[in-house]
Amino acid sequence: ATARLVAATSNALFEAWGSDARVQVVEGVPAGACVEGVGPDGAAAAVAAYFAERRGNEHMAVSSAVPAAAAPAALPRVTKDGTLPHFVPDRREALLDNLAQLGQPVLPSVATRLWGCVVIDGRACSSCRMCATFCPTGAIRKFDNDDGTLGVYHYPGECVKCGSCRDVCPENAIELLDEVRPAYLLEGAVHRYAMAPRPVELGTAQQMVDTMRLRMRGSDIFER
């Protein structure tokens, strides 16, 4: 099932870029293919070379042994800009580089499991920018200009369509689209979302009270 999913994704990209290449999943080993030799089209040898290079030419075997318990990983710490650490797999950068070698895309949009396009409803957004805080790849980043303008940037090329931004949004103001323009991926397009200044100033002694007052509209909150 995973192989078929990968093949479907690959073929969608080939089609979007106007390539005739296709990936096909077959049951069993094709006739004439050999792991240690060259098959009819050289595919088996290429696959063997791929794994041999990454395994240091060591013999590959499947082990049923239970791995030793790893030490607990340290919890991620919030960085200076108020976001969690970002990580973009190298293989995604390599994929974009390889797609660029295919030339310009021929389809206006492509829908795969690899990328997503974030759309923020400015009318519902409360400018909390939690979407940028929890974006694992940094596809959504904060900006604060000297003139007081604030908001987020969204780079579809680094979006992995994990849905964290949508799930963490307290106002349900984020929609995650499946279709992405291939040109956005190659050109490094960035979408800019300017947001209204936050109604509650952060980092002050009144932050909690002002937030409660804002949330409990119509109710009186008295301080002592």
Side-chain angles (χ1 to χ4, degrees):
T2 301
R4 293 187 178 90
L5 181 60
V6 172
T9 302
S10 303
N11 293 335
L13 294 178
F14 284 136
E15 183 180 359
W17 262 262
S19 173
D20 294 333
R22 292 295 183 271
V23 176
Q24 181 180 1
V25 178
V26 297
E27 297 292 340
V29 179
C34 178
V35 174
E36 297 181 355
V38 178
D41 57 356
V47 172
Y50 174 87
F51 286 107
E53 177 184 357
R54 282 151 183 77
R55 292 282 181 169
N57 294 318
E58 295 178 359
H59 177 68
M60 294 176 59
V62 179
S63 173
S64 60
V66 178
L75 295 176
R77 297 181 179 274
V78 176
T79 58
K80 292 182 179 180
D81 64 350
T83 63
L84 293 174
H86 304 143
F87 172 74
V88 180
D90 293 338
R91 61 182 179 273
R92 295 185 67 87
E93 300 294 340
L95 175 58
L96 290 177
D97 293 340
N98 291 329
L99 288 175
Q101 296 182 23
L102 292 178
Q104 293 299 317
V106 297
L107 296 183
S109 64
V110 59
T112 72
R113 59 192 177 88
L114 299 180
W115 296 286
C117 190
V118 172
V119 178
I120 301 177
D121 184 356
R123 297 168 298 179
C125 176
S126 61
S127 306
C128 70
R129 298 193 287 184
M130 295 297 287
C131 52
T133 297
F134 284 92
C135 179
T137 64
I140 303 179
R141 295 180 182 269
K142 301 178 183 180
F143 70 82
D144 293 272
N145 297 338
D146 294 337
D147 61 359
T149 306
L150 59 86
V152 298
Y153 291 116
H154 174 243
Y155 172 37
E158 292 185 353
C159 178
V160 295
K161 202 164 64 174
C162 66
S164 296
C165 57
R166 176 192 57 203
D167 297 340
V168 78
C169 179
E171 310 298 342
N172 295 321
I174 292 181
E175 182 179 3
L176 189 57
L177 303 181
D178 292 329
E179 292 194 356
V180 179
R181 292 183 180 272
Y184 288 169
L185 305 178
L186 295 185
E187 298 169 0
V190 176
H191 302 153
R192 182 177 184 271
Y193 288 99
M195 299 177 176
R198 286 185 57 85
V200 175
E201 185 178 357
L202 302 182
T204 66
Q206 295 295 114
Q207 175 181 340
M208 183 176 296
V209 174
D210 292 342
T211 301
M212 292 179 61
R213 183 178 288 118
L214 179 66
R215 292 288 182 180
M216 301 173 65
R217 295 182 179 89
S219 301
D220 292 330
I221 298 179
F222 300 95
E223 302 176 54
R224 298 189 61 180

